[in-house]
Amino acid sequence: MKVFFSGTHRERPPHDTLTAITPLLPEFGVTRLADVTGLDVLGVPVVMSVRPLARTLSVSQGKGATLDLARISAAMEAIELDHAERSVPPAELHDVPADQLVLPYPVLALEQHAGSLLTEGTPLDWITARRIGDDREVLVPRQAVRMGRDLRDGWRSYTLTASSNGLASGNTRPEAVVHALYEVIERDATSDLGSVPVRERHYVDPATVDEPYCAELIDRIRSAGAWLEIVHAPSRFGVPAFACYLWHEDAAAAMVVGSGAHGDAAVALSRAITEAAQSRLTFIAGTRDDIVASTYLPPDGFARPATPVQARPWAPAVYGTTASYATCAEEAAALAAAVAAHTGHEPMAVDLADRAEFAVVKVLCPGLTYAARHEIPRHEEVTAA
């Protein structure tokens, strides 16, 4: 049963979650949770987790409407990545092509590297997942789940790729599955948004948002002199999804973006706003090596952006879109059914951890779209970062 609904839906109060997972962080290589909120002028809570021996990112960031939620987000992201690197089950079948198996989905519909050479006859290693709708076991390629870069003796071709899309955690397994499904739905809904001209997008007026925790976040951002743009990105699954663009004159060459999707439109918007603020902290703190140099250009020549068309008020923009579920299990079943109805393939979940303190899953949804690195550019007046 859900018990917490402010900015997110959870089956355990945030303080209890933080109390449960904090003593476990060294087990997953996390040496520090650092509150970096004060490095920015916005005041939106962002926390950084440090994992020096990571096989992927050694620094993860978390965000939230409160500092406790940001701490949980950062800690759980590090725990998720550690499990995707080190806790994927060993292969049950080795070097078997998909065309020699009876699968309820086409392997070519899974996420692949650009220029992938994957065919139905490519030898792959296989592990067991469970379909979310009916809990039936199904084989999935291990390469689509395990993350990390290691030295290898043999040659490896670029075929399937494992990303953090659909990798999620929660207080319980159903909660983790819900978080994963919302993430893959969000990425599907916003993957093509970057190609939509800014004048053809659907905007929401930030000043009309009356959900208390969203309104508070917006007020913090606008009080700091920043510009915020909310774009409604309707998903094919009927789930509210938003992208938020954020700009401040102190880093005029950088426009950051965040996105979110959730059955509760206010939660979806909160995720998009806080992710945009988290993106600003990424280049302010310099926590990634792939930040482009143009992000740090001097402000000369960059004008304050403006929404090119009139934005709709919040209430009519989201009217009739919010869905409510008493439990995460009920929510997961409804989301899985919606995905299956539109793609023709049942979503599948690989269990990476299911213990008293938390659960971690990797959800695979054949037929969903995920743009590389999840960039959502807005090519107007400033350089998108």
Side-chain angles (χ1 to χ4, degrees):
M1 186 71 67
K2 296 180 182 180
V3 298
F4 185 81
F5 299 92
S6 183
T8 184
H9 290 185
R10 296 194 179 268
E11 295 188 336
R12 186 182 295 161
H15 177 75
D16 292 352
T17 300
L18 201 57
T19 300
I21 64 175
T22 299
L24 305 177
L25 294 180
E27 180 181 341
F28 308 109
V30 179
T31 60
R32 184 186 181 200
L33 291 180
D35 177 7
V36 294
T37 309
L39 297 180
D40 197 358
V41 298
L42 302 181
V44 176
V46 177
V47 171
M48 182 173 70
S49 60
V50 182
R51 201 165 49 100
L53 298 181
R55 295 175 181 174
T56 52
L57 295 175
S58 59
V59 174
S60 302
Q61 289 193 144
K63 74 285 186 186
T66 68
L67 188 56
D68 268 1
L69 288 174
R71 288 192 177 107
I72 293 169
S73 176
M76 294 310 294
E77 183 163 324
I79 289 173
E80 292 163 15
L81 287 172
D82 183 84
H83 279 78
E85 295 166 3
R86 305 170 193 273
S87 298
V88 176
E92 300 164 35
L93 296 176
H94 294 274
D95 295 329
V96 178
D99 59 13
Q100 294 184 16
L101 300 172
V102 178
L103 301 174
Y105 63 92
V107 72
L108 295 176
L110 296 174
E111 186 181 331
Q112 299 178 49
H113 286 281
S116 169
L117 301 175
L118 181 70
T119 71
E120 294 283 350
T122 303
L124 297 169
D125 292 346
W126 300 85
I127 59 177
T128 296
R130 284 188 282 163
R131 300 202 309 194
I132 295 169
D134 57 17
D135 208 39
R136 292 177 60 183
E137 291 188 349
V138 57
L139 290 171
V140 297
R142 190 173 188 267
Q143 190 175 334
V145 179
R146 186 184 179 278
M147 297 179 64
R149 298 186 181 274
D150 302 306
L151 292 175
R152 297 169 183 246
D153 294 330
W155 177 83
R156 181 184 65 176
S157 64
Y158 280 96
T159 54
L160 292 167
T161 180
S163 72
S164 61
N165 188 33
L167 176 65
S169 57
N171 290 294
T172 63
R173 183 182 187 273
E175 185 180 294
V177 169
V178 166
H179 291 170
L181 285 169
Y182 277 132
E183 182 170 74
V184 296
I185 288 171
E186 167 206 324
R187 302 292 172 80
D188 183 81
T190 57
S191 282
D192 295 329
L193 189 59
S195 62
V196 178
V198 292
R199 294 186 178 276
E200 297 178 14
R201 297 181 178 187
H202 303 284
Y203 299 95
V204 176
D205 184 354
T208 66
V209 177
D210 55 5
E211 297 290 346
Y213 52 88
C214 290
E216 182 182 355
L217 289 169
I218 292 169
D219 184 61
R220 290 187 199 180
I221 290 169
R222 301 181 83 173
S223 296
W227 171 87
L228 179 71
E229 182 177 77
I230 302 172
V231 181
H232 190 206
S235 81
R236 51 179 164 156
F237 309 110
V239 173
F242 299 94
C244 287
Y245 292 87
L246 181 58
W247 179 93
H248 195 284
E249 62 184 359
D250 64 1
M255 179 180 289
V256 296
V257 62
S259 58
H262 196 274
D264 184 330
V267 174
L269 179 59
S270 172
R271 289 181 175 179
I273 294 171
T274 54
E275 186 174 276
Q278 173 185 286
S279 296
R280 261 182 64 87
L281 262 302
T282 298
F283 73 77
I284 289 172
T287 53
R288 292 183 65 121
D289 295 331
D290 58 355
I291 302 172
V292 297
S294 61
T295 303
Y296 300 101
L297 288 173
D300 299 339
F302 292 94
R304 186 181 185 87
T307 300
V309 297
Q310 185 173 1
R312 297 179 65 194
W314 167 256
V318 301
Y319 177 77
T321 61
T322 291
S324 178
Y325 303 93
T327 68
C328 287
E330 177 188 350
E331 193 166 11
L335 292 172
V339 170
H342 284 81
T343 65
H345 308 298
E346 286 276 358
M348 304 163 288
V350 177
D351 292 309
L352 302 180
D354 191 2
R355 46 196 287 180
E357 300 89 354
F358 65 85
V360 179
V361 298
K362 168 66 176 183
V363 164
L364 301 174
C365 293
L368 264 63
T369 304
Y370 175 46
R373 294 184 60 202
H374 192 51
E375 295 178 344
I376 315 174
R378 182 189 187 277
H379 298 299
E380 183 166 295
E381 298 180 298
V382 297
T383 302

